[in-house]
């Protein structure tokens, strides 16, 4: 995106892709849904294009989406993020204590009569975001370096904690509360594989691009010549990913609108509460706009790729648990796009804070 210090002054200078981002995302969602419903056998064909349970079209879209954003990260500044204990501890608190507990509560409160969907939502709440949150953060002009560190932190905890928290929230806690219990089977390798593919590959590519580019051509060339050329591909990858995701489940979603509406309600509440909580906590701690925004989006986002994969592997592709996972991005994408604009509109209410990065461009 093209950024300057004043929002009104720059609107006319933004590319059509940037100015009409909500329109393109909406069109991608509708296109995917229609393709999945009208093109016979498309979803089946897309499901077959996978390796070891990983959808190659989705993986391709996410890699294209994440690489330009991670190539923009100034990796020599990461130490300023890792030294920010308030940010790191706040992120761990929101992602691994508040988030799963909130989704558990919402699922049981709003879907008490739908155990399959309830279980699917709990799985979504346990899968913390390591991919798409990077682009929402970048669109909202959050701290790129902080986003890279927090996403990496989430990925480590995801490998360690996902199976443990699944057992706790699906079996142990319901037992304590005298509620129906269920079990889930997932291996640490399945989670690690998701992390390595969806975060490890683009992170390594982004780091090597900056390191090699700056060594050979200098930082000025890298940031004024190379990054503008690859920048639009982040949104191309996002739109491609959305089309594929919605095409995979378009028929199921359009045939079960009431079920989708029931699943959407706790998701809407979850995204709103987590994002708002992240913003309030960031303001209280004086993190400044950029890091507060990063904290809010990393708390609100979820790793729907992992949630869907686990639900399908455990309960089957046509299960209610899998449908709940699929509805996740159906709701998350438009909601978080809207929250990007809310973040930018509220920017003037934040102090810069002692840890805020200087010189960042605002759309």
């Amino acid at each position: 995106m093209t950024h300057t210090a004043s929002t009104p002054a720059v609107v006319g200078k933004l590319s059509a892709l940037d100015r009409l981002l909500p329109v393109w995302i909406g069109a991608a969602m509708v296109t995917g849904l229609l393709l999945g419903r009208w093109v016979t056998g498309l979803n089946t064909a897309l499901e077959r294009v996978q390796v070891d349970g990983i959808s190659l079209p989705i993986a391709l879209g996410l890699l294209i989406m994440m690489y330009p954003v991670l190539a923009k990260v100034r990796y020599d500044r990461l130490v300023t993020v890792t030294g920010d204990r308030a940010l790191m501890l706040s992120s761990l608190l929101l992602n691994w204590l508040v988030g799963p507990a909130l989704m558990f509560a919402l699922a049981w409160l709003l879907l008490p009569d739908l155990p399959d969907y309830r279980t699917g939502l709990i799985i979504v709440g346990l899968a913390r975001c390591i991919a798409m949150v990077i682009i929402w953060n970048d669109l909202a002009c959050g701290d790129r370096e902080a986003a890279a560190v927090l996403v990496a932190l989430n990925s480590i905890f995801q490998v360690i904690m996902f199976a443990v928290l699944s057992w706790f929230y699906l079996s142990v806690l319901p037992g304590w509360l005298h509620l129906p219990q269920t079990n889930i089977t997932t291996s640490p390798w399945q989670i690690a594989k998701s992390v390595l593919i969806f975060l490890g590959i683009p992170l390594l590519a982004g780091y090597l691009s900056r390191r090699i580019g700056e060594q050979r051509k200098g930082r000025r060339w890298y940031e004024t010549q190379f990054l503008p050329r690859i920048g639009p591909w982040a949104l191309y990858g996002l739109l491609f990913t959305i089309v594929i995701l919605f095409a995979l489940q378009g028929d199921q979603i359009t045939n079960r609108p009431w079920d989708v509406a029931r699943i959407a309600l706790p998701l809407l509440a979850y995204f709103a509460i987590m994002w708002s909580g992240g913003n309030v906590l960031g303001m209280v701690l004086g993190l400044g706009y950029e890091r507060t925004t990063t904290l809010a989006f990393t708390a609100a986002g979820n790793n729907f790729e992992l949630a869907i994969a686990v639900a399908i592997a455990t309960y089957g592709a046509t299960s209610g648990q899998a449908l709940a996972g699929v509805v996740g991005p159906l709701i998350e994408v438009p909601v978080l796009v809207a929250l990007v604009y809310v973040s930018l509109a509220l920017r003037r209410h934040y102090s810069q804070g002692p840890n805020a990065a200087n010189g960042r461009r605002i759309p």
Side-chain angles (χ1 to χ4, degrees):
M1 295 179 69
T2 303
H3 306 289
T4 64
S6 173
T7 301
V10 80
V11 169
K13 300 179 182 179
L14 295 177
S15 69
L17 184 64
D18 288 336
R19 289 199 309 272
L20 301 177
L21 178 61
V23 175
W24 302 133
I25 288 178
M29 293 168 64
V30 172
T31 300
L33 289 172
L34 294 179
L35 286 174
R37 183 173 177 83
W38 290 346
V39 180
T40 304
L42 177 62
N43 54 351
T44 302
L46 289 172
E47 287 172 356
R48 289 176 179 170
V49 186
Q50 59 177 270
V51 175
D52 198 18
I54 298 293
S55 169
L56 292 184
I58 291 177
L60 176 63
L62 288 172
L63 294 179
I64 293 173
M65 177 190 76
M66 293 178 66
Y67 165 67
V69 180
L70 290 170
K72 294 176 183 178
V73 173
R74 291 186 174 181
Y75 292 91
D76 54 350
R77 292 183 178 176
L78 294 185
V79 66
T80 65
V81 180
T82 57
D84 190 343
R85 296 182 62 184
L87 176 67
M88 303 283 280
L89 292 175
S90 298
S91 180
L92 288 175
L93 172 69
L94 289 172
N95 277 288
W96 297 103
L97 291 178
V98 177
L102 176 62
M103 188 68 90
F104 175 87
L106 290 171
W108 273 100
L109 286 172
L110 299 176
L111 300 175
D113 56 328
L114 298 170
D116 290 352
Y117 297 156
R118 186 176 62 234
T119 298
L121 284 182
I122 292 172
I123 294 172
V124 169
L126 297 173
R128 312 312 302 168
C129 197
I130 62 169
M132 202 167 280
V133 69
I134 289 178
I135 199 165
W136 305 139
N137 177 75
D138 203 56
L139 290 170
C141 287
D143 189 317
R144 291 188 188 118
E145 290 72 35
V149 170
L150 295 186
V151 164
L153 187 66
N154 271 346
S155 69
I156 294 171
F157 268 76
Q158 198 149 246
V159 173
I160 299 171
M161 297 300 298
F162 185 87
V164 175
L165 290 176
S166 298
W167 168 70
F168 177 76
Y169 280 105
L170 294 174
S171 182
V172 176
L173 185 56
W176 291 350
L177 300 175
H178 304 291
L179 299 170
Q181 298 168 272
T182 186
N183 292 304
I184 188 171
T185 302
T186 186
S187 68
W189 165 240
Q190 183 179 18
I191 303 162
K193 179 175 60 179
S194 173
V195 170
L196 289 171
I197 292 174
F198 296 126
L199 176 62
I201 293 175
L203 183 62
L204 178 62
Y207 171 77
L208 291 177
S209 292
R210 179 170 282 278
R211 185 173 180 84
I212 294 172
E214 289 188 353
Q215 284 181 345
R216 294 186 176 181
K217 296 281 191 174
R219 174 164 289 188
R220 180 177 177 81
W221 172 88
Y222 183 83
E223 296 191 344
T224 62
Q225 299 295 321
F226 180 72
L227 291 182
R229 292 177 184 174
I230 66 169
W233 283 94
L235 296 184
Y236 300 153
L238 171 65
L239 297 176
F240 175 79
T241 303
I242 291 170
V243 170
I244 296 299
L245 276 169
F246 284 53
L248 280 167
Q249 299 292 338
D251 188 58
Q252 190 172 187
I253 289 172
T254 54
N255 282 333
R256 301 161 76 175
W258 176 243
D259 289 354
V260 170
R262 288 289 306 274
I263 297 168
L265 186 58
L267 283 169
L268 286 169
Y270 173 84
F271 293 135
I273 293 171
M274 290 299 293
W275 182 85
S276 300
N279 269 285
V280 170
L281 183 57
M283 291 183 72
V284 169
L285 294 174
L287 295 180
Y289 171 78
E290 293 185 346
R291 291 192 176 177
T292 295
T293 297
T294 301
L295 179 64
F297 278 100
T298 52
N302 291 89
N303 186 353
F304 55 82
E305 306 91 355
L306 175 61
I308 294 171
V310 170
I312 290 175
T314 305
Y315 303 103
T318 60
S319 66
Q321 291 87 344
L323 178 62
V326 170
V327 174
L330 174 71
I331 305 303
E332 178 177 342
V333 169
V335 168
L336 292 191
V337 169
L339 291 176
V340 166
Y341 287 91
V342 174
S343 292
L344 295 171
L346 295 177
R347 179 175 60 89
R348 63 183 180 275
H349 296 294
Y350 290 82
S351 64
Q352 283 301 305
N355 296 318
N358 294 319
R360 280 297 305 276
R361 300 167 296 173
I362 306 300

